[in-house]
Amino acid sequence: MTRRPADRAAPMRMRPRVVVAADPALPRHAPEGTDAVVVGGGIAGVCAAVVLAERGVAVTLLEAAPTLGGRLGAWPHTLPDGTGQVVEHGFHAFFRHYHTWRSVLRRIDPELGFLRPVGGYPVISREWPAEDLTGLPTAPPLNLLALFARSPSLGLRDLLGSRQSLAAELLAYDRARTTALFDHVPAARFLADLGMSDRAQAMLFEAFARSFFAEPGALSAGELIAMFHYYFLGNAAGIGFDAPDTDHLTAIWSPLASYLDGHGAQVRTATPARAVAPADGHRWRVELDGGALTTRHLVLATDPGALRSLLAASPEVAAVAPRLAAKAADLTVAPPFAVTRLWLDRDVAPGRATFSAVSREPTLDSVTVYSRLERPSAEWAARAGGSVVELHSYACDAPDAATATARMRAELAVLWPETADAGVRHLQERMEATAPAFPPGGAATRLTVTGEGRGVRVAGDHVDTPFLTGLMERAAVSGVLAANDVLAEVGAGPEPIVAGPQRGLLAGLLPRR
């Protein structure tokens, strides 16, 4: 990507720009007989399958779980009172600069009518008053100046007392420079070296860092700076986000499954891939329980732990794709995250936000009032006279889900005292380790979408993309890039992709370190 001043995030330059352009000189559809197998039915795999199926590729999508979605997945559940509900892996914010993911979702709802604004993004703490990160200007340096002016955590003392040369790096994101200087540095050390007050670190930076499923000490500072640019300093929508007004199965995964079926794709849930191996004719064989599939074009779109396990069970891959085998073997997975949904016998206080990040609690990292978020939970709460509340813990060190639930409930009772004596009519709790880790020093060994082996593409939110993305959007973009590589091989044109400014306001302007 050519570096130009216009690439930097600045007032009047915040609009999305094309990073992958359509090519009208190439056919839109793949040649007849083109086939592909996509392993993994989360965001990345479904996005790849959607683009390929639209272009006439005979797609088989394999998902190990009974339902699509990965960490955004959802499944039916019956409450003790007989009420049918759909529960999920947990709350996800659909940020407004997720251009690729929203483009795929427009296939099932052109107006995105199932998404609605959640409201603010407060960070709450037992030590300090809540802070809200929304409603700021969207262009740097105006958003940072407004944050300093509005935030009780940041004041003139913080601004003057900080290491301004280090703080300026937040405004100077540049992929190559930022990675070279800060990938090996733990995010916790970077934040400590900023020299800001403990309150500012806790309320504004640490809560943000933990939302990437890691303790700040186990997260690369280069990744933290990149994500700070991506979510706060480098997009025209600011940090505003939406969420579905009903469950993910109803709003997203059932419609997308129907969409794929309508375009001739085979969607096979509860069908884990057991191993992959090279086959004759530059094809790949995917081993299943009781059979196998062969394909010229293979997309591996699983979570990092599942990919590591799949390739560990596939010893023949190392001979033809040694980079893929080696990188997959070194994949690291973030510590477990815990999600507990509580059906309570009373409502929380009227002033509580729908979603709140939590700072400096040992276990609890966020709380979502689902009965104020989605219709099925709201209907249950209105009928039963209670509320539905979901608790999250990232990088959770509890030994099991029940312990995590007990700890999170006790911490919530301090923050929201009205929940201390609330009766629990039902609960759903989960604890799993499926999220990617971005540890210090790990940038050089990350998997990329292409280049790891002939005929195989890798997609997911653990995969490095050639332009800046994060979380759900990284998964969606990697899936579309995987599909584009298949299309390029068979002579068809790419699916366009747009993204925000790829460099910070001060990129290229700071002295060399």
Side-chain angles (χ1 to χ4, degrees), residues 311 317-318 321-331 445 447:
L311 292 186
V317 171
R323 285 167 53 89
L324 173 62
K327 286 186 175 182
D330 290 338
L331 277 170
T445 61
L447 284 160

Side-chain angles (χ1 to χ4, degrees), residues 231-460:
Y231 285 96
F232 188 60
L233 298 175
N235 75 83
I239 205 165
F241 60 89
D242 308 305
D245 63 1
T246 190
D247 65 84
H248 295 164
L249 184 61
T250 301
I252 298 171
W253 299 116
S254 291
L256 279 173
S258 297
Y259 184 85
L260 285 167
D261 181 70
H263 283 79
Q266 293 187 47
V267 178
R268 298 175 62 176
T269 56
T271 308
R274 298 302 185 185
V276 296
D280 293 339
H282 300 297
R283 295 176 70 81
W284 286 89
R285 185 176 72 254
V286 182
E287 301 288 348
L288 310 174
D289 293 334
L293 299 171
T294 60
T295 182
R296 176 66 178 266
H297 306 289
L298 177 63
V299 179
L300 301 177
T302 69
D303 67 71
L307 180 61
R308 184 177 60 196
S309 298
L310 176 64
L311 292 186
S314 308
E316 295 176 68
V317 171
V320 295
R323 285 167 53 89
L324 173 62
K327 286 186 175 182
D330 290 338
L331 277 170
T332 56
V333 178
F337 61 92
V339 180
T340 298
R341 189 174 297 190
L342 302 164
W343 284 261
L344 301 178
D345 64 0
R346 67 198 68 182
D347 201 359
V348 299
R352 303 304 187 193
T354 301
F355 171 82
S356 299
V358 178
S359 177
R360 288 282 175 91
E361 292 298 326
T363 311
L364 182 62
D365 284 305
S366 71
V367 53
T368 306
V369 185
Y370 258 74
S371 45
R372 298 177 186 174
L373 179 72
E374 57 156 37
R375 290 194 306 273
S377 294
E379 290 166 359
W380 178 88
R383 184 174 63 253
S387 61
V388 183
V389 176
E390 185 179 270
L391 312 178
H392 282 208
S393 177
Y394 309 121
C396 185
D397 62 2
D400 51 54
T403 304
T405 297
R407 292 178 183 176
M408 289 191 289
R409 282 211 66 198
E411 292 162 15
L412 180 67
V414 176
L415 296 165
W416 291 3
E418 71 274 16
T419 67
D421 297 323
V424 178
R425 291 178 174 166
H426 187 58
L427 66 80
Q428 269 279 301
E429 54 191 5
R430 294 177 65 86
M431 191 172 184
E432 62 183 64
T434 56
F438 300 99
T445 61
R446 290 185 195 172
L447 284 160
T448 54
V449 175
T450 60
E452 310 294 2
R454 181 171 180 173
V456 62
R457 292 86 181 171
V458 188

Side-chain angles (χ1 to χ4, degrees), residues 95 121 123 133 170 185-192 194 200-229 231-232 239 334-335 355 357-360 365-366 393-395 435-439 471 474:
F95 287 93
Y121 191 131
V123 180
L133 301 180
L170 295 171
V185 178
R189 193 172 94 198
F190 175 83
L191 295 175
L194 281 176
Q201 285 196 48
M203 298 298 286
L204 299 177
F205 292 105
E206 291 178 12
F208 176 77
R210 283 185 61 82
S211 65
F212 296 95
F213 298 93
E215 290 282 2
L219 178 69
S220 161
E223 181 72 7
L224 176 69
I225 294 168
M227 293 300 97
F228 197 77
H229 172 84
Y231 285 96
F232 188 60
I239 205 165
F355 171 82
V358 178
S359 177
R360 288 282 175 91
D365 284 305
S366 71
S393 177
Y394 309 121
F438 300 99
L471 297 177
R474 183 178 285 160

